[in-house]
Amino acid sequence: MDAVKAVLSPVTIGGVPLRNRVVVPGHTTNFGHANLPTRRHVDYHRERARGGVGLIVTEAVRVHPTSAGRHISLGSFDDSSIPAFAEVAQAVQAEGAKIFAQIMHAGRQANGDATRTVAWSASPLRWTSGAQVPRAMGRRDLDTVVDAFGAAATRMTRAGLDGLEVHLGHGHLLQQFLSPVTNQRDDEYGGSLGNRMRLSRRVLETVRSATDLPVGIRISADEFLPGGLDVAQMIEIVGLLREEFPLAYVHVSHSAYHGSWSLSTQMADMSFGHAPFRHHAAAFRRALPGLPVIAVCRLDTLPEAAELVADGDADLVALARPHIADPHLVRKVAEGRPDEVRNCLACNQGCIARVEQSLPISCVVNPEVGAEGEWAAHRERAATAPARRVLVVGGGPAGLEAALSARRAGHTVTLFEADDRLGGQLRTAARVGGR
């Protein structure tokens, strides 16, 4: 209980006061249209802010069309994007939470098919065997990207967001320049650590000059690639950046977007177990005292995540999939109702699996994901509907959920199940090893 009190205590990062230390980190939803936020984004983030979280970080906001990849991703390519982002920010802030925009360029992962542009990277190395070979960026390309980061930062400021998170991790463009695996240049942007950091430094300098908002960074502590960046190297990089820029925080993730085991760790599934990478955040907190550290990945429940704060391994904890599964998990725990939280299974079926198919995210335990507004309207209609007698046949997951939903709507429910135990096929699935 003391650990939960610690994670629910207020904190200030970059001058921005947060009501607690719980974060919804940036995660792709595929709710966009023409690379802009939609009503689904507004409703989705409002619900999680209403659920009590302290900070929401938007999914990656691409800073240039060469990073768009697909029209369902988010981007800020000109000033016409400002009103859509402002609507999301206002919805979150009205519920008492703060919102930061994560700005990034995907680099070689943005294959350019949607925008008919070539993929950009530090060197002409594809990220997986079937991907396009990216173009090694020239000086004009580099200047274009740096300017685009500054312009996006200005737009997010005008949209009324509370802060920014510059994405230096997950094998995206800035990490492609930082890593000796992906950066094989022989000019002033390659070779030595100082040269490989040059683009990140230019981006942070431009962002800082473009806005007064606090700026944090998201990094990959370990690429999990032979010859790639590891924890020691990333601590050195973040330490050097911290000396030059007033970083609001470091958000410690891991992996590279690479067609190997590395990518599979990014959203670690149920086979990994709880908090498999908490040691990364702890290493940064020990090495860089005074710099707020956000931990992330498979922090399955709030009480378990709270242990990282209580143990001094992190200052804040980021729970993405748990907030997809239950947007009100913070409020339920704070009110002493942790047993009512609908927990994430780390099955990855409705979230990242659908993202990789260019489909909007869903969730196998939360049917409201992406349709929060529609469900709210349905509940209003159900509240005035006459009570009925409902018969549900079958006590598997679907039947049980139907029975519960009908009962919560005020109906009298009878459930028939032929077996002597409830659960249906879920009982069979639960017997499989590792689940």
Side-chain angles (χ1 to χ4, degrees):
M1 185 57 67
D2 289 340
V4 170
K5 288 181 179 178
V7 82
L8 294 179
S9 66
V11 67
T12 298
I13 55 171
V16 176
L18 306 179
R19 58 188 175 188
N20 56 54
R21 298 165 185 263
V22 187
V23 180
V24 175
H27 56 282
T28 302
T29 63
N30 283 348
F31 295 161
H33 178 72
N35 300 118
L36 293 177
T38 63
R39 171 55 54 179
R40 296 179 80 178
H41 283 103
V42 175
D43 294 339
Y44 178 82
H45 290 302
R46 177 192 286 119
E47 195 67 19
R48 280 138 191 88
R50 185 177 292 153
V53 70
L55 172 65
I56 292 176
V57 182
T58 70
E59 62 191 272
V61 179
R62 276 87 171 152
V63 300
H64 192 265
T66 52
S67 181
R70 302 161 294 187
H71 80 89
I72 51 178
S73 65
L74 296 190
S76 182
F77 309 142
D78 55 52
D79 289 355
S80 67
S81 65
I82 294 173
F85 283 100
E87 190 174 1
V88 176
Q90 291 162 10
V92 168
Q93 293 158 349
E95 299 294 341
K98 304 296 184 182
I99 181 167
F100 281 28
Q102 183 187 94
I103 54 177
M104 62 83 81
H105 192 294
R108 64 183 184 174
Q109 284 91 54
N111 59 28
D113 288 343
T115 54
R116 298 184 179 181
T117 55
V118 68
W120 283 352
S121 188
S123 302
L125 303 170
R126 64 182 86 203
W127 70 271
T128 191
S129 58
Q132 297 179 5
V133 176
R135 184 176 79 197
M137 297 175 70
R139 294 180 184 277
R140 184 179 297 178
D141 303 330
L142 293 165
D143 291 345
T144 296
V145 164
V146 170
D147 291 344
F149 269 96
T154 298
R155 295 184 194 110
M156 294 302 103
T157 305
R158 291 175 58 188
L161 282 87
D162 299 296
L164 298 170
E165 179 177 278
V166 177
H167 205 327
L168 277 71
H170 289 176
H172 298 318
L173 182 65
L174 298 184
Q175 185 172 320
Q176 289 163 32
F177 274 81
L178 289 172
S179 173
V181 171
T182 46
N183 187 341
Q184 299 182 2
R185 302 171 72 99
D186 57 7
D187 62 0
E188 68 268 34
Y189 287 88
S192 68
L193 177 59
N195 283 356
R196 288 184 278 115
M197 291 179 63
R198 191 179 303 276
L199 181 58
S200 293
R201 284 188 166 114
R202 288 189 62 191
V203 165
L204 288 171
E205 182 178 1
T206 299
V207 168
R208 287 302 313 152
S209 65
T211 181
D212 293 328
L213 294 179
V215 178
I217 58 174
R218 192 178 206 192
I219 58 100
S220 286
D222 198 325
E223 290 192 287
F224 300 126
L225 294 175
L229 297 167
D230 58 21
V231 175
Q233 294 174 72
M234 286 308 304
I235 287 175
E236 180 182 5
I237 288 170
V238 174
L240 291 170
L241 292 175
R242 184 192 187 191
E243 292 176 3
E244 299 178 46
F245 305 100
L247 300 179
Y249 62 82
V250 57
H251 189 167
V252 182
S253 188
H254 53 271
S255 82
Y257 209 100
H258 182 267
S260 65
W261 182 80
S262 178
L263 183 57
S264 72
T265 69
Q266 195 174 114
M267 293 185 67
D269 63 20
M270 62 176 65
S271 68
F272 282 81
H274 167 66
F277 304 109
R278 65 179 290 179
H279 57 286
H280 289 160
F284 279 79
R285 198 167 189 275
R286 288 193 302 268
L288 303 170
L291 178 63
V293 172
I294 302 177
V296 70
C297 193
R298 284 298 312 275
L299 307 182
D300 298 328
T301 69
L302 190 56
E304 289 175 318
E307 296 172 3
L308 276 70
V309 174
D311 293 346
D313 289 347
D315 297 281
L316 300 94
V317 287
L319 294 81
R321 285 170 290 176
H323 270 102
I324 298 174
D326 192 334
H328 292 266
L329 70 90
V330 174
R331 189 175 305 282
K332 289 176 180 178
V333 172
E335 293 175 353
R337 300 182 289 125
D339 56 314
E340 295 182 21
V341 173
R342 183 169 43 207
N343 290 321
C344 169
L345 309 177
C347 67
N348 285 358
Q349 293 178 32
C351 48
I352 191 61
R354 287 177 59 86
V355 166
E356 294 302 325
Q357 297 177 65
S358 296
L359 295 170
I361 63 169
S362 63
C363 180
V364 300
V365 301
N366 181 5
E368 299 185 23
V369 171
E372 284 79 6
E374 297 172 34
W375 278 78
H378 172 71
R379 280 191 290 270
E380 290 182 7
R381 292 192 298 269
T384 59
R388 299 182 178 184
R389 296 176 62 193
V390 177
L391 172 65
V392 177
V393 179
L400 291 172
E401 186 65 28
L404 287 168
S405 297
R407 181 65 186 88
R408 292 176 183 132
H411 304 300
T412 300
V413 181
T414 301
L415 174 71
F416 278 88
E417 167 56 46
D419 202 347
D420 59 356
R421 293 179 63 193
L422 298 174
Q425 293 186 40
L426 194 64
R427 289 163 44 201
T428 302
R431 292 199 293 269
V432 178
R435 301 182 69 84

